[in-house]
Coordinates of all heavy atoms in Angstrom, one line a residue:
M19 N 0.8 -1.2 0.0 CA 0.0 0.0 0.0 C 0.9 1.3 0.0 O 1.8 1.3 0.7 CB -0.9 0.0 1.2 CG -1.9 -1.1 1.4 SD -3.1 -1.2 0.0 CE -4.3 -0.2 0.7
I20 N 0.5 2.2 -0.9 CA 1.3 3.5 -0.9 C 0.3 4.6 -0.8 O -1.0 4.4 -1.0 CB 2.1 3.6 -2.2 CG1 1.2 3.6 -3.4 CG2 3.1 2.6 -2.4 CD1 1.8 4.1 -4.7
I21 N 0.8 5.7 -0.3 CA -0.1 6.9 -0.1 C 0.2 7.9 -1.3 O 1.3 8.2 -1.6 CB 0.1 7.5 1.2 CG1 -0.2 6.6 2.3 CG2 -0.7 8.8 1.3 CD1 0.1 7.1 3.7
I22 N -0.9 8.3 -1.9 CA -0.7 9.4 -3.0 C -1.4 10.7 -2.6 O -2.4 10.6 -1.8 CB -1.2 8.9 -4.4 CG1 -2.7 8.5 -4.3 CG2 -0.4 7.7 -4.9 CD1 -3.3 8.3 -5.7
Q23 N -0.9 11.7 -3.1 CA -1.5 13.1 -2.8 C -2.1 13.5 -4.1 O -1.4 13.6 -5.1 CB -0.4 14.1 -2.3 CG -1.0 15.4 -2.1 CD 0.1 16.4 -1.6 OE1 1.2 16.2 -1.8 NE2 -0.4 17.5 -1.0
C24 N -3.4 13.7 -4.0 CA -4.1 14.3 -5.2 C -4.5 15.7 -5.0 O -5.1 16.0 -3.9 CB -5.4 13.5 -5.4 SG -5.2 11.7 -5.6
T25 N -4.1 16.6 -5.9 CA -4.3 18.0 -5.7 C -5.1 18.5 -6.9 O -4.8 18.3 -8.0 CB -2.9 18.7 -5.7 OG1 -2.1 18.1 -4.7 CG2 -3.1 20.2 -5.4
L26 N -6.2 19.2 -6.6 CA -7.1 19.9 -7.5 C -6.6 21.3 -7.7 O -6.4 22.0 -6.7 CB -8.5 19.9 -7.1 CG -9.3 18.7 -7.5 CD1 -10.8 18.8 -6.9 CD2 -9.5 18.5 -9.0
F27 N -6.5 21.8 -8.9 CA -6.1 23.1 -9.2 C -7.2 23.9 -9.9 O -7.9 23.3 -10.8 CB -4.8 23.2 -10.1 CG -3.6 22.7 -9.4 CD1 -3.2 21.4 -9.5 CD2 -2.8 23.6 -8.7 CE1 -2.1 21.0 -8.8 CE2 -1.7 23.1 -8.0 CZ -1.3 21.8 -8.1
S28 N -7.3 25.2 -9.7 CA -8.2 26.1 -10.4 C -7.5 26.5 -11.6 O -6.4 27.0 -11.6 CB -8.6 27.3 -9.5 OG -9.3 28.2 -10.2
V29 N -8.1 26.4 -12.8 CA -7.5 26.8 -14.0 C -7.3 28.3 -14.1 O -6.5 28.8 -14.9 CB -8.3 26.2 -15.3 CG1 -8.2 24.7 -15.4 CG2 -9.8 26.6 -15.2
T30 N -8.1 29.0 -13.4 CA -8.0 30.5 -13.4 C -7.0 31.0 -12.4 O -6.7 32.2 -12.4 CB -9.4 31.1 -13.2 OG1 -9.8 30.7 -11.8 CG2 -10.5 30.7 -14.1
N31 N -6.5 30.1 -11.6 CA -5.6 30.5 -10.5 C -6.2 31.5 -9.5 O -5.5 32.2 -8.8 CB -4.3 31.0 -11.0 CG -3.5 30.0 -11.7 OD1 -3.6 28.8 -11.3 ND2 -2.7 30.3 -12.7
K32 N -7.6 31.6 -9.5 CA -8.2 32.5 -8.6 C -8.3 31.9 -7.2 O -8.2 32.7 -6.2 CB -9.6 32.7 -9.1 CG -10.4 33.7 -8.3 CD -11.8 33.9 -9.0 CE -12.6 34.9 -8.2 NZ -13.9 35.1 -8.8
Y33 N -8.3 30.6 -7.1 CA -8.4 29.9 -5.8 C -7.2 29.0 -5.5 O -6.5 28.7 -6.5 CB -9.7 29.0 -5.8 CG -11.0 29.8 -6.0 CD1 -11.6 29.7 -7.2 CD2 -11.5 30.6 -5.0 CE1 -12.8 30.4 -7.5 CE2 -12.7 31.3 -5.2 CZ -13.3 31.2 -6.4 OH -14.4 31.9 -6.6
R34 N -7.0 28.9 -4.3 CA -5.8 28.0 -3.8 C -6.1 26.5 -4.1 O -7.3 26.1 -4.1 CB -5.5 28.2 -2.4 CG -5.1 29.6 -2.0 CD -5.0 29.9 -0.6 NE -3.9 29.0 0.0 CZ -3.6 29.0 1.2 NH1 -4.1 29.8 2.1 NH2 -2.6 28.2 1.6
P35 N -5.0 25.8 -4.4 CA -5.2 24.3 -4.6 C -5.7 23.6 -3.4 O -5.6 24.0 -2.3 CB -3.8 23.8 -4.9 CG -3.0 25.1 -5.2 CD -3.6 26.2 -4.5
I36 N -6.5 22.5 -3.7 CA -7.0 21.7 -2.7 C -6.4 20.3 -2.8 O -6.4 19.7 -3.9 CB -8.6 21.5 -2.8 CG1 -9.3 22.9 -2.9 CG2 -9.2 20.7 -1.7 CD1 -10.7 22.8 -3.3
S37 N -6.0 19.7 -1.8 CA -5.4 18.4 -1.9 C -5.9 17.4 -0.8 O -6.5 17.8 0.2 CB -3.9 18.4 -1.7 OG -3.5 18.9 -0.5
T38 N -5.8 16.1 -1.1 CA -6.1 15.1 -0.1 C -5.2 13.9 -0.3 O -4.6 13.8 -1.3 CB -7.7 14.7 -0.3 OG1 -8.0 13.8 0.7 CG2 -7.8 14.0 -1.7
L39 N -5.2 13.1 0.7 CA -4.3 11.9 0.6 C -5.2 10.6 0.4 O -6.3 10.5 1.1 CB -3.5 11.7 1.9 CG -2.6 12.9 2.2 CD1 -1.9 12.6 3.5 CD2 -1.6 13.0 1.1
L40 N -4.8 9.7 -0.4 CA -5.5 8.4 -0.7 C -4.5 7.3 -0.6 O -3.3 7.4 -0.9 CB -6.1 8.4 -2.1 CG -7.3 9.2 -2.4 CD1 -7.7 9.0 -3.9 CD2 -8.4 8.8 -1.5
E41 N -5.0 6.2 0.0 CA -4.1 4.9 0.1 C -4.5 4.1 -1.0 O -5.7 3.7 -1.1 CB -4.3 4.4 1.4 CG -3.2 3.4 1.8 CD -3.4 2.9 3.3 OE1 -3.2 3.8 4.1 OE2 -3.6 1.8 3.4
I42 N -3.6 3.7 -1.9 CA -3.9 2.7 -2.9 C -2.9 1.6 -3.0 O -1.9 1.6 -2.2 CB -3.8 3.4 -4.4 CG1 -2.5 4.1 -4.6 CG2 -5.0 4.4 -4.5 CD1 -2.4 4.5 -6.0
E43 N -3.2 0.5 -3.7 CA -2.4 -0.6 -3.7 C -0.9 -0.4 -4.3 O 0.0 -0.8 -3.7 CB -3.0 -1.8 -4.5 CG -4.4 -2.2 -3.8 CD -5.1 -3.0 -4.8 OE1 -4.7 -3.5 -5.8 OE2 -6.4 -3.2 -4.5
S44 N -0.9 0.2 -5.5 CA 0.4 0.4 -6.1 C 0.3 1.5 -7.2 O -0.8 1.9 -7.5 CB 0.9 -0.8 -6.8 OG 0.1 -1.3 -7.8
I45 N 1.4 1.9 -7.8 CA 1.4 2.9 -8.9 C 0.7 2.2 -10.1 O 0.0 2.8 -10.9 CB 2.8 3.3 -9.2 CG1 3.4 4.1 -8.1 CG2 2.8 4.1 -10.5 CD1 2.6 5.4 -7.7
K46 N 1.0 0.9 -10.3 CA 0.4 0.1 -11.4 C -1.1 0.2 -11.3 O -1.8 0.4 -12.3 CB 1.0 -1.3 -11.4 CG 0.6 -2.1 -12.6 CD 1.2 -3.5 -12.6 CE 0.9 -4.2 -13.8 NZ 1.4 -5.6 -13.8
Y47 N -1.6 0.0 -10.1 CA -3.1 0.0 -9.9 C -3.6 1.4 -10.3 O -4.6 1.5 -10.9 CB -3.5 -0.2 -8.5 CG -4.9 -0.1 -8.1 CD1 -5.8 -1.1 -8.5 CD2 -5.4 1.1 -7.6 CE1 -7.2 -1.0 -8.2 CE2 -6.8 1.2 -7.4 CZ -7.7 0.1 -7.7 OH -9.0 0.3 -7.4
Y48 N -2.9 2.5 -9.9 CA -3.3 3.9 -10.3 C -3.3 4.0 -11.8 O -4.3 4.6 -12.3 CB -2.4 4.9 -9.6 CG -2.7 6.3 -10.1 CD1 -3.8 7.0 -9.7 CD2 -1.9 6.9 -11.1 CE1 -4.1 8.2 -10.1 CE2 -2.2 8.2 -11.6 CZ -3.3 8.8 -11.1 OH -3.6 10.1 -11.6
N49 N -2.3 3.5 -12.4 CA -2.2 3.7 -13.9 C -3.3 3.0 -14.6 O -3.8 3.4 -15.7 CB -0.8 3.2 -14.4 CG 0.3 4.2 -14.0 OD1 0.0 5.4 -13.8 ND2 1.5 3.7 -13.9
T50 N -3.8 1.9 -14.1 CA -4.9 1.1 -14.8 C -6.3 1.6 -14.3 O -7.2 1.4 -15.1 CB -4.7 -0.4 -14.4 OG1 -4.7 -0.6 -13.0 CG2 -3.5 -1.0 -15.0
H51 N -6.4 2.2 -13.1 CA -7.6 2.7 -12.7 C -7.6 4.2 -12.3 O -8.1 4.6 -11.4 CB -8.0 1.9 -11.4 CG -8.2 0.4 -11.6 ND1 -7.2 -0.5 -11.4 CD2 -9.3 -0.3 -11.9 CE1 -7.6 -1.7 -11.7 NE2 -8.9 -1.6 -12.0
K52 N -7.0 4.9 -13.2 CA -6.8 6.4 -13.0 C -8.1 7.1 -12.7 O -8.2 7.9 -11.8 CB -6.0 7.0 -14.2 CG -5.5 8.3 -13.9 CD -4.8 8.8 -15.1 CE -3.5 8.1 -15.2 NZ -2.5 8.7 -16.1
Q53 N -9.1 6.9 -13.6 CA -10.3 7.6 -13.5 C -11.0 7.3 -12.1 O -11.5 8.2 -11.4 CB -11.3 7.2 -14.7 CG -12.5 8.0 -14.8 CD -12.2 9.4 -15.3 OE1 -11.2 9.6 -15.9 NE2 -13.0 10.4 -15.0
E54 N -11.1 6.0 -11.8 CA -11.7 5.6 -10.5 C -11.0 6.3 -9.3 O -11.7 6.8 -8.4 CB -11.6 4.1 -10.4 CG -12.1 3.6 -9.0 CD -11.9 2.1 -8.9 OE1 -11.7 1.4 -9.9 OE2 -11.7 1.7 -7.7
V55 N -9.7 6.3 -9.3 CA -8.9 6.8 -8.2 C -9.1 8.3 -8.1 O -9.3 8.9 -7.0 CB -7.4 6.5 -8.3 CG1 -6.6 7.2 -7.3 CG2 -7.2 5.0 -8.2
Q56 N -9.1 9.0 -9.2 CA -9.4 10.4 -9.2 C -10.8 10.8 -8.8 O -11.0 11.8 -8.1 CB -9.1 11.0 -10.6 CG -7.6 11.0 -11.0 CD -7.3 11.6 -12.4 OE1 -8.2 11.8 -13.2 NE2 -6.1 11.8 -12.7
Q57 N -11.8 10.0 -9.1 CA -13.1 10.2 -8.7 C -13.2 10.1 -7.2 O -13.9 10.8 -6.5 CB -14.1 9.3 -9.4 CG -14.2 9.6 -10.8 CD -14.8 11.0 -11.1 OE1 -15.6 11.5 -10.4 NE2 -14.3 11.7 -12.1
R58 N -12.5 9.0 -6.6 CA -12.4 8.8 -5.2 C -11.8 10.0 -4.5 O -12.3 10.4 -3.4 CB -11.6 7.6 -4.9 CG -12.4 6.5 -4.3 CD -11.6 5.2 -4.0 NE -10.3 5.3 -3.4 CZ -9.3 4.5 -3.6 NH1 -9.6 3.3 -4.2 NH2 -8.1 4.7 -3.0
A59 N -10.8 10.6 -5.1 CA -10.1 11.8 -4.5 C -11.1 13.0 -4.5 O -11.2 13.7 -3.4 CB -8.8 12.1 -5.3
I60 N -11.8 13.2 -5.6 CA -12.8 14.2 -5.7 C -13.9 14.1 -4.6 O -14.2 15.0 -4.0 CB -13.3 14.4 -7.1 CG1 -12.2 14.9 -8.0 CG2 -14.5 15.4 -7.1 CD1 -12.6 14.8 -9.5
D61 N -14.4 12.8 -4.5 CA -15.4 12.5 -3.5 C -14.9 12.9 -2.1 O -15.6 13.4 -1.3 CB -15.8 11.1 -3.6 CG -16.6 10.8 -4.8 OD1 -17.2 11.7 -5.4 OD2 -16.7 9.6 -5.2
K62 N -13.7 12.5 -1.8 CA -13.1 12.8 -0.5 C -12.9 14.3 -0.2 O -13.3 14.8 0.9 CB -11.7 12.1 -0.3 CG -11.2 12.1 1.1 CD -9.9 11.2 1.2 CE -9.4 11.3 2.6 NZ -8.1 10.5 2.7
I63 N -12.6 15.0 -1.2 CA -12.4 16.5 -1.1 C -13.8 17.1 -0.9 O -14.0 18.0 0.0 CB -11.7 17.1 -2.4 CG1 -10.3 16.7 -2.4 CG2 -11.9 18.6 -2.4 CD1 -9.5 17.1 -3.7
V64 N -14.8 16.7 -1.6 CA -16.1 17.2 -1.5 C -16.6 17.0 0.1 O -17.2 17.9 0.6 CB -17.1 16.5 -2.5 CG1 -18.6 16.7 -2.1 CG2 -16.8 17.0 -3.9
V65 N -16.4 15.8 0.6 CA -16.8 15.5 1.9 C -16.0 16.4 2.9 O -16.6 17.0 3.8 CB -16.6 14.0 2.3 CG1 -16.8 13.7 3.8 CG2 -17.6 13.2 1.5
Q66 N -14.7 16.6 2.7 CA -13.8 17.4 3.6 C -14.3 18.8 3.6 O -14.3 19.5 4.6 CB -12.4 17.3 3.3 CG -11.8 15.9 3.6 CD -10.4 15.8 3.0 OE1 -10.0 16.5 2.1 NE2 -9.7 14.8 3.5
R67 N -14.6 19.3 2.4 CA -15.0 20.7 2.2 C -16.5 21.1 2.5 O -16.9 22.1 2.5 CB -14.6 21.2 0.9 CG -13.2 21.1 0.5 CD -12.3 22.2 0.9 NE -12.8 23.4 0.3 CZ -12.1 24.4 -0.1 NH1 -10.8 24.2 -0.2 NH2 -12.6 25.5 -0.6
K68 N -17.3 20.0 2.7 CA -18.7 20.1 2.9 C -19.4 20.9 1.8 O -20.0 21.9 1.9 CB -19.0 20.7 4.3 CG -18.5 20.0 5.4 CD -18.8 20.7 6.7 CE -18.3 19.9 7.9 NZ -16.9 20.0 8.1
T69 N -19.1 20.4 0.6 CA -19.6 21.1 -0.6 C -20.1 20.1 -1.6 O -20.2 18.9 -1.3 CB -18.4 22.0 -1.3 OG1 -19.0 22.8 -2.3 CG2 -17.3 21.2 -1.7
E70 N -20.3 20.5 -2.8 CA -20.9 19.6 -3.9 C -19.8 19.6 -5.0 O -19.0 20.5 -5.2 CB -22.2 20.1 -4.4 CG -23.2 20.2 -3.4 CD -24.0 18.9 -3.1 OE1 -23.9 18.0 -4.1 OE2 -24.5 18.7 -2.0
R71 N -20.0 18.5 -5.8 CA -19.0 18.4 -7.0 C -19.2 19.6 -8.0 O -18.2 20.1 -8.5 CB -19.4 17.2 -7.8 CG -18.8 15.9 -7.2 CD -19.3 14.7 -8.0 NE -18.6 13.6 -7.7 CZ -17.6 13.1 -8.3 NH1 -17.1 13.7 -9.3 NH2 -17.0 12.0 -7.9
W72 N -20.4 20.0 -8.2 CA -20.6 21.1 -9.2 C -20.0 22.4 -8.7 O -19.6 23.3 -9.5 CB -22.1 21.3 -9.5 CG -23.0 21.6 -8.4 CD1 -23.6 20.8 -7.4 CD2 -23.3 23.0 -8.0 NE1 -24.3 21.6 -6.5 CE2 -24.2 22.9 -6.8 CE3 -22.9 24.3 -8.3 CZ2 -24.6 24.0 -6.1 CZ3 -23.4 25.3 -7.7 CH2 -24.3 25.3 -6.6
C73 N -19.9 22.6 -7.3 CA -19.3 23.8 -6.8 C -17.8 23.8 -7.1 O -17.3 24.9 -7.5 CB -19.5 23.9 -5.3 SG -21.2 24.1 -4.8
L74 N -17.2 22.7 -7.1 CA -15.8 22.7 -7.4 C -15.6 23.0 -8.9 O -14.7 23.8 -9.3 CB -15.2 21.3 -7.2 CG -15.1 20.8 -5.7 CD1 -14.6 19.4 -5.6 CD2 -14.1 21.8 -4.9
K75 N -16.4 22.5 -9.8 CA -16.3 22.7 -11.2 C -16.7 24.2 -11.5 O -16.0 24.9 -12.3 CB -17.3 21.8 -12.0 CG -17.1 21.9 -13.4 CD -17.9 20.8 -14.2 CE -17.5 20.8 -15.6 NZ -18.3 19.7 -16.3
R76 N -17.7 24.8 -10.8 CA -18.0 26.2 -11.0 C -16.8 27.1 -10.6 O -16.6 28.1 -11.3 CB -19.2 26.5 -10.1 CG -19.6 28.0 -10.1 CD -20.5 28.3 -9.0 NE -19.8 28.2 -7.7 CZ -20.3 28.1 -6.5 NH1 -21.6 28.0 -6.4 NH2 -19.6 28.0 -5.5
D77 N -16.1 26.7 -9.6 CA -14.9 27.5 -9.1 C -13.7 27.3 -10.0 O -12.7 27.9 -9.8 CB -14.6 27.2 -7.7 CG -15.7 27.7 -6.7 OD1 -16.5 28.6 -7.2 OD2 -15.8 27.2 -5.6
G78 N -13.8 26.4 -11.0 CA -12.7 26.2 -11.9 C -11.7 25.1 -11.5 O -10.7 25.0 -12.1
Y79 N -12.0 24.3 -10.5 CA -11.1 23.2 -10.1 C -11.3 22.0 -11.1 O -12.1 21.1 -11.0 CB -11.5 22.7 -8.8 CG -11.1 23.7 -7.7 CD1 -12.0 24.5 -7.0 CD2 -9.7 23.8 -7.3 CE1 -11.5 25.4 -5.9 CE2 -9.3 24.6 -6.3 CZ -10.2 25.4 -5.7 OH -9.8 26.2 -4.7
T80 N -10.5 22.1 -12.2 CA -10.7 21.1 -13.3 C -9.4 20.3 -13.6 O -9.4 19.3 -14.3 CB -11.2 21.7 -14.6 OG1 -10.4 22.7 -14.9 CG2 -12.6 22.1 -14.4
R81 N -8.3 20.8 -13.0 CA -7.0 20.1 -13.2 C -6.6 19.4 -12.0 O -6.7 19.9 -10.9 CB -5.8 21.1 -13.5 CG -6.0 21.7 -14.9 CD -4.8 22.5 -15.2 NE -4.1 22.9 -14.0 CZ -3.0 23.8 -14.0 NH1 -2.7 24.3 -15.1 NH2 -2.5 24.1 -12.8
M82 N -6.0 18.1 -12.1 CA -5.6 17.4 -11.0 C -4.2 16.9 -11.2 O -3.8 16.4 -12.3 CB -6.5 16.2 -10.7 CG -6.1 15.4 -9.6 SD -7.2 14.0 -9.2 CE -8.5 14.8 -8.3
K83 N -3.4 17.0 -10.2 CA -2.0 16.4 -10.2 C -1.9 15.4 -9.1 O -2.5 15.6 -8.0 CB -0.9 17.5 -10.0 CG -0.8 18.4 -11.2 CD 0.4 19.4 -10.9 CE 0.5 20.3 -12.1 NZ 1.6 21.3 -11.8
V84 N -1.2 14.3 -9.4 CA -1.1 13.2 -8.4 C 0.4 12.9 -8.2 O 1.2 12.9 -9.2 CB -1.8 12.0 -8.9 CG1 -1.6 10.8 -7.9 CG2 -3.3 12.3 -9.1
R85 N 0.8 12.8 -6.9 CA 2.2 12.4 -6.7 C 2.2 11.4 -5.5 O 1.3 11.4 -4.7 CB 3.1 13.6 -6.4 CG 2.8 14.2 -5.1 CD 3.7 15.3 -4.8 NE 3.5 15.9 -3.5 CZ 4.3 16.7 -2.9 NH1 5.5 17.0 -3.4 NH2 4.1 17.2 -1.7
V86 N 3.3 10.6 -5.5 CA 3.5 9.7 -4.3 C 3.9 10.5 -3.1 O 4.7 11.5 -3.2 CB 4.7 8.7 -4.6 CG1 4.9 7.8 -3.5 CG2 4.2 7.8 -5.8
Y87 N 3.2 10.3 -2.0 CA 3.4 11.1 -0.8 C 4.5 10.4 0.1 O 4.2 9.4 0.8 CB 2.0 11.2 0.0 CG 2.1 12.1 1.2 CD1 2.1 13.4 1.0 CD2 2.1 11.5 2.4 CE1 2.1 14.2 2.2 CE2 2.2 12.4 3.5 CZ 2.2 13.7 3.4 OH 2.2 14.5 4.5
D88 N 5.7 10.9 0.0 CA 6.7 10.5 0.8 C 7.1 11.4 1.9 O 7.7 12.5 1.6 CB 8.0 10.2 -0.1 CG 9.2 9.6 0.8 OD1 9.0 9.3 1.9 OD2 10.2 9.5 0.1
K89 N 6.5 11.2 3.1 CA 6.6 12.2 4.1 C 8.0 12.7 4.5 O 8.3 13.9 4.7 CB 5.9 11.7 5.4 CG 5.6 12.7 6.4 CD 4.8 12.2 7.5 CE 4.4 13.3 8.5 NZ 3.5 12.9 9.5
K90 N 8.9 11.8 4.5 CA 10.4 12.1 4.8 C 10.9 13.1 3.8 O 11.6 14.1 4.1 CB 11.2 10.9 5.0 CG 10.9 10.1 6.2 CD 11.7 8.8 6.2 CE 11.3 8.0 7.4 NZ 12.0 6.7 7.4
K91 N 10.7 12.7 2.5 CA 11.2 13.6 1.5 C 10.6 14.9 1.5 O 11.3 16.0 1.3 CB 10.9 12.9 0.1 CG 11.4 13.6 -1.1 CD 11.0 13.0 -2.4 CE 11.4 13.8 -3.6 NZ 10.9 13.2 -4.8
I92 N 9.3 15.1 1.7 CA 8.6 16.4 1.7 C 9.1 17.2 2.9 O 9.3 18.4 2.8 CB 7.0 16.1 1.8 CG1 6.6 15.5 0.5 CG2 6.3 17.4 2.1 CD1 5.2 15.1 0.5
E93 N 9.2 16.5 4.1 CA 9.8 17.3 5.2 C 11.2 17.8 5.0 O 11.6 18.9 5.4 CB 9.8 16.4 6.5 CG 8.4 16.2 7.0 CD 8.4 15.2 8.2 OE1 9.4 14.6 8.5 OE2 7.3 15.1 8.8
K94 N 12.0 17.0 4.3 CA 13.4 17.4 4.0 C 13.4 18.6 3.0 O 14.1 19.6 3.2 CB 14.1 16.3 3.3 CG 15.5 16.5 2.9 CD 16.2 15.4 2.3 CE 17.6 15.8 1.7 NZ 18.0 14.9 0.6
E95 N 12.5 18.6 2.0 CA 12.4 19.7 1.0 C 11.9 21.0 1.8 O 12.4 22.0 1.5 CB 11.4 19.3 -0.1 CG 12.0 18.3 -1.0 CD 10.9 17.8 -2.0 OE1 9.7 18.2 -1.9 OE2 11.3 17.0 -2.9
A96 N 11.0 20.8 2.7 CA 10.4 22.0 3.4 C 11.6 22.6 4.2 O 11.7 23.8 4.3 CB 9.2 21.6 4.2
K97 N 12.3 21.7 4.9 CA 13.4 22.2 5.8 C 14.5 23.0 4.9 O 14.9 24.0 5.4 CB 14.1 21.1 6.5 CG 15.1 21.5 7.5 CD 15.7 20.3 8.3 CE 16.7 20.7 9.3 NZ 17.3 19.6 10.0
E98 N 14.8 22.4 3.8 CA 15.8 23.1 2.9 C 15.2 24.4 2.4 O 16.0 25.4 2.3 CB 16.1 22.2 1.7 CG 16.9 21.0 2.1 CD 17.1 20.0 1.0 OE1 16.5 20.2 -0.2 OE2 17.8 19.0 1.1
R99 N 14.0 24.5 2.1 CA 13.4 25.7 1.6 C 13.4 26.7 2.7 O 13.7 27.9 2.5 CB 12.0 25.4 1.1 CG 11.3 26.5 0.3 CD 10.0 26.1 -0.3 NE 9.1 25.3 0.5 CZ 8.8 24.0 0.2 NH1 9.4 23.4 -0.8 NH2 8.0 23.3 1.0
Y100 N 13.1 26.3 3.9 CA 13.0 27.3 5.1 C 14.5 27.8 5.4 O 14.7 29.0 5.6 CB 12.5 26.5 6.3 CG 12.4 27.4 7.5 CD1 11.6 28.5 7.6 CD2 13.3 27.1 8.6 CE1 11.5 29.4 8.7 CE2 13.2 27.9 9.8 CZ 12.4 29.1 9.8 OH 12.4 29.9 10.8
E101 N 15.5 26.9 5.3 CA 16.8 27.3 5.5 C 17.3 28.3 4.5 O 18.0 29.3 4.7 CB 17.8 26.1 5.5 CG 17.6 25.2 6.7 CD 17.8 25.9 8.1 OE1 18.8 26.8 8.1 OE2 17.1 25.6 9.0
K102 N 16.9 28.1 3.2 CA 17.2 29.0 2.1 C 16.6 30.4 2.4 O 17.2 31.4 2.2 CB 16.7 28.5 0.8 CG 17.0 29.3 -0.4 CD 16.5 28.7 -1.7 CE 16.7 29.6 -2.9 NZ 16.0 29.1 -4.1
I103 N 15.3 30.4 2.8 CA 14.6 31.7 3.1 C 15.3 32.4 4.2 O 15.5 33.6 4.2 CB 13.1 31.4 3.4 CG1 12.4 31.0 2.1 CG2 12.5 32.7 4.0 CD1 11.0 30.5 2.4
K104 N 15.7 31.7 5.3 CA 16.4 32.3 6.4 C 17.6 32.9 6.0 O 18.0 34.0 6.4 CB 16.7 31.2 7.5 CG 15.5 30.9 8.4 CD 15.7 29.9 9.5 CE 17.1 29.7 10.0 NZ 17.2 28.6 11.0
K105 N 18.4 32.2 5.1 CA 19.6 32.7 4.6 C 19.5 34.0 3.8 O 20.2 35.0 3.9 CB 20.4 31.7 3.8 CG 21.7 32.0 3.4 CD 22.4 30.9 2.7 CE 23.8 31.2 2.2 NZ 24.4 30.2 1.4
E106 N 18.5 34.0 2.9 CA 18.2 35.2 2.1 C 17.8 36.4 2.8 O 18.1 37.5 2.5 CB 17.1 34.8 1.1 CG 17.5 33.9 0.0 CD 16.3 33.4 -0.9 OE1 15.2 33.8 -0.7 OE2 16.6 32.8 -1.9
R107 N 17.0 36.2 3.9 CA 16.5 37.3 4.6 C 17.5 37.7 5.8 O 17.1 38.6 6.5 CB 15.1 37.0 5.2 CG 14.2 36.8 4.0 CD 12.8 36.6 4.5 NE 11.9 36.4 3.3 CZ 10.6 36.0 3.3 NH1 10.1 35.8 4.5 NH2 9.9 35.8 2.2
G108 N 18.5 36.9 6.1 CA 19.4 37.2 7.1 C 18.9 37.0 8.5 O 19.2 37.6 9.4
W109 N 18.1 35.9 8.6 CA 17.5 35.6 10.0 C 18.4 34.8 10.8 O 18.2 34.7 12.0 CB 16.2 34.8 9.8 CG 15.1 35.6 9.2 CD1 15.1 37.0 9.0 CD2 13.8 35.2 8.7 NE1 13.9 37.4 8.5 CE2 13.1 36.3 8.2 CE3 13.2 33.9 8.6 CZ2 11.8 36.2 7.7 CZ3 12.0 33.9 8.1 CH2 11.3 34.9 7.6
S110 N 19.4 34.1 10.2 CA 20.2 33.2 11.0 C 21.3 33.7 11.8 O 21.7 34.9 11.9 CB 20.9 32.1 10.0 OG 21.6 32.8 9.0

């Protein structure tokens, strides 16, 4: 089982991206059942936001990006980004 992060983007860039985490069997499963997994992600986002599918579409959320969610890698990237910002602004 792996965890993937599904992120919905507004095509107009008027609204911030919305993301959710899903647990699936493998990348191969995702590639063969892409539509089903993406629909599950949208359903989960709708429940979390207490809204309807048509509201997401009305607001322009029509693009989706999916990536493997590796928590250690993401934390490392965030730490590096924070250190870079500290260095640029002279906080250290």
Side-chain angles (χ1 to χ4, degrees):
M19 299 297 271
I20 62 168
I21 297 175
I22 59 170
Q23 180 180 19
C24 301
T25 307
L26 273 175
F27 291 92
S28 171
V29 290
T30 60
N31 292 328
K32 184 176 178 183
Y33 301 103
R34 294 175 63 179
I36 305 171
S37 65
T38 191
L39 300 175
L40 285 179
E41 196 171 296
I42 59 171
E43 297 167 13
S44 65
I45 295 296
K46 188 175 182 181
Y47 177 83
Y48 172 75
N49 289 333
T50 56
H51 298 90
K52 191 176 287 190
Q53 190 72 26
E54 175 191 333
V55 172
Q56 289 180 350
Q57 291 301 320
R58 245 178 42 203
I60 292 170
D61 290 340
K62 190 172 178 182
I63 288 171
V64 165
V65 169
Q66 289 172 342
R67 302 275 301 223
K68 298 178 179 78
T69 185
E70 300 279 334
R71 283 174 167 266
W72 64 269
C73 292
L74 293 176
K75 191 170 184 179
R76 177 196 66 199
D77 293 339
Y79 286 106
T80 55
R81 289 188 338 188
M82 181 177 280
K83 289 186 182 177
V84 177
R85 70 174 183 167
V86 175
Y87 185 77
D88 183 5
K89 192 170 184 174
K90 291 178 184 175
K91 180 181 173 189
I92 292 171
E93 287 175 352
K94 181 182 171 203
E95 289 172 355
K97 185 177 180 182
E98 289 172 358
R99 190 170 42 250
Y100 180 66
E101 292 299 324
K102 182 181 173 189
I103 290 170
K104 277 178 33 178
K105 186 177 178 182
E106 287 174 356
R107 296 183 182 173
W109 292 349
S110 53

